[in-house]
Structure formats: C-alpha cells, structure tokens
Amino acid sequence: MQQITPEQLAQWLADSGRPRPTLLDVREPWEFDLCRIDGSQPMPMATVPNRLDELDLEADIVVICHHGARSFQVAI
C-alpha cells in the first residue's frame, strides 16, 4: 500500500501516458451523492469484503473516502 495526496492523484489522472487507476470510493451512498470524483466506483466500506470479486486486484486501485480513515482501513 502507498498513500498519495489529492494533488498526486490529480497528476496521475491527468497523465495520459499512465494507465488510469480504479477509483474505489468507500463512503456511504449519501456521501457519494454529495461529492465524487468522476469515474469513481462506489462501494461502501462495509460491503467491500463481499464485493471483492467486482475488482481487478491486479490493477492499481486508489481507495477514496472523506478524511482517509475508511480508505486506509480498506486498503490494508
């Protein structure tokens, strides 16, 4: 696992020479409805264990939440 800043993610997404990561948003649906990164995949944290088969675990996955605590828990 590697932590990146929002600025680093923005640079990554802007780099057309680099494959786009899977953006996994682990916030609750109401939070995702308020604000999200275009192209991100909603998957509330509590549902991740049962939905792992929906993810390409060989791809780069950036886990997103509001403050970083939930994304950190999912990533480890």
Side-chain angles (χ1 to χ4, degrees):
M1 179 185 72
Q2 176 185 356
Q3 293 186 33
I4 63 173
T5 65
E7 292 81 12
Q8 290 170 316
L9 177 57
Q11 289 174 351
W12 185 352
L13 296 176
D15 185 348
S16 62
R18 190 170 178 190
R20 185 175 172 91
T22 299
L23 301 175
L24 181 64
D25 193 318
V26 296
R27 298 173 301 144
E28 293 301 311
W30 69 268
E31 294 172 288
F32 186 80
D33 290 342
L34 285 176
C35 180
R36 68 183 150 280
I37 299 173
D38 286 338
S40 59
Q41 177 179 348
M43 189 179 293
M45 183 174 120
T47 70
V48 171
N50 293 326
R51 296 178 63 189
L52 282 177
D53 61 331
E54 296 176 35
L55 300 172
D56 177 358
L57 300 179
E58 298 298 318
D60 288 318
I61 300 173
V62 176
V63 186
I64 301 163
C65 71
H66 185 72
H67 292 288
R70 288 175 282 185
S71 58
F72 182 78
Q73 288 180 341
V74 169
I76 59 170

